[in-house]
Amino acid sequence: MLVTILRRTVLWGFAAWCVFPIYWLLNTSLKTTVDAIARPPTFVFTPTLGNYTQVMADPKVHAFLSNSLIVALGTVAAGLLIGAPAAYVLARHRFRASSGIAFWILATRFTPPIAMLIPFFVVFYKAGLLGTHLGLVIAHTGLNLAMIVWIMRGFFQDLPRDLEEAAFIDGASHFQAFTKVILPLAWPGIAAVAILTFLSSWNEFLFSMVLGGSDMMTVPVGIYAYIGFEQIEWGNLSAAAMLMLAPVIAFILLFQRQLIRGLTLGAVK
């Protein structure tokens, strides 16, 4: 009994610790400028939607949300289009240097993003991709491709080979076996990888700021504009951050079943 109470207390404490930043963000977004910068912080105040009204009236915010949505969805599509076949080949086919290629793909995650920024900038400048949706989609896809390949590789390895062999006996080619047999069975894993890639692209800041510039600002970069030289607009910043969180929370709630199923696939054999 005591163990159960202690366990529940720890779980509720952990849940409160996770939710508190969102509560504080929402709390600040509903305060006036005076209440937002009050020291010590005020917990009893008259809520106002003025910050949300100001943020939503700003046409730049609409552009930020639109840019982030286009780049994140484009990154998911490009990442799965490239990463899923690559993961399938690495999971199912043994050839010379296959292990080396798999490790090289994983090694790209070891490199700090700042170290890859200058080569990306030079190549994009030569190719005219700076400040474009396509440029950011390519950059975000490159950043997330290792994660996509390695997670999908694990899903494909967990699927029994007998299914493909049965398809080969029926006359299917490798491509047909992959698209008609393997991919439908790997749908939970694909959904989980798509959600993780979407979240990673949506929250990416460094590459979006440098490669997107002022012509193609995403939400994280746009929110940074509320931090001025002498003043931080806490109310507007918090309201913009809540608007940034809304699509992410909706996306997770919509696909939470696929995410949980995909992340736990293969955990118990």
Side-chain angles (χ1 to χ4, degrees):
M1 185 66 180
L2 181 61
V3 174
T4 302
I5 295 175
L6 182 61
R7 183 182 302 165
R8 289 182 179 179
T9 302
V10 171
L11 290 176
W12 278 108
F14 181 72
W17 179 75
C18 293
V19 173
F20 183 76
I22 298 177
Y23 159 75
W24 191 261
L25 195 64
L26 177 63
N27 199 36
T28 306
S29 70
L30 297 175
K31 289 181 177 178
T32 62
T33 304
V34 175
D35 290 333
I37 61 175
R39 295 292 181 274
T42 57
F43 291 92
V44 179
F45 59 92
T46 303
T48 175
L49 294 176
N51 295 319
Y52 287 95
T53 304
Q54 291 182 23
V55 169
M56 290 302 297
D58 189 351
K60 293 181 180 178
V61 174
H62 302 167
F64 300 156
L65 291 170
S66 175
N67 291 335
S68 285
L69 192 62
I70 293 172
V71 172
L73 291 178
T75 301
V76 171
L80 290 178
L81 191 64
I82 300 172
Y88 175 71
V89 171
L90 292 173
R92 282 293 194 255
H93 300 280
R94 294 295 177 187
F95 53 91
R96 191 174 182 181
S98 60
S99 299
I101 292 174
F103 181 76
W104 175 79
I105 293 174
L106 179 63
T108 59
R109 293 292 294 181
F110 301 158
T111 307
I114 188 68
M116 298 186 290
L117 186 57
I118 294 178
F120 265 99
F121 183 86
V122 173
V123 172
F124 280 25
Y125 175 76
K126 297 287 186 182
L129 292 174
L130 292 177
T132 64
H133 290 108
L134 179 61
L136 284 188
V137 168
I138 294 174
H140 288 191
T141 301
L143 291 174
N144 290 287
L145 197 57
M147 176 191 72
I148 296 172
V149 170
W150 270 82
I151 294 179
M152 291 301 301
R153 182 172 176 253
F155 289 134
F156 291 142
Q157 286 176 334
D158 288 338
L159 295 177
R161 288 179 177 271
D162 297 343
L163 298 172
E164 294 163 273
E165 293 173 356
F168 294 149
I169 293 174
D170 291 338
S173 63
H174 285 282
F175 180 76
Q176 289 173 327
F178 173 63
T179 56
K180 295 183 179 180
V181 178
I182 298 301
L183 282 184
L185 294 174
W187 163 243
I190 294 174
V193 171
I195 293 171
L196 294 176
T197 305
F198 181 89
L199 297 180
S200 176
S201 175
W202 184 272
N203 294 320
E204 204 285 328
F205 175 78
L206 180 62
F207 276 62
S208 300
M209 182 179 69
V210 176
L211 302 180
S214 59
D215 298 329
M216 233 294 297
M217 298 174 73
T218 57
V219 172
V221 181
I223 290 178
Y224 184 70
Y226 288 105
I227 302 177
F229 177 67
E230 295 181 339
Q231 181 183 6
I232 300 176
E233 301 177 41
W234 288 110
N236 290 346
L237 189 150
S238 300
M242 286 303 300
L243 292 175
M244 172 185 169
L245 279 176
V248 175
I249 294 175
F251 198 73
I252 292 176
L253 292 177
L254 190 63
F255 296 102
Q256 61 175 328
R257 182 174 299 177
Q258 287 82 0
L259 178 62
I260 295 173
R261 187 180 174 193
L263 292 178
T264 56
L265 189 68
V268 179
K269 295 183 178 179

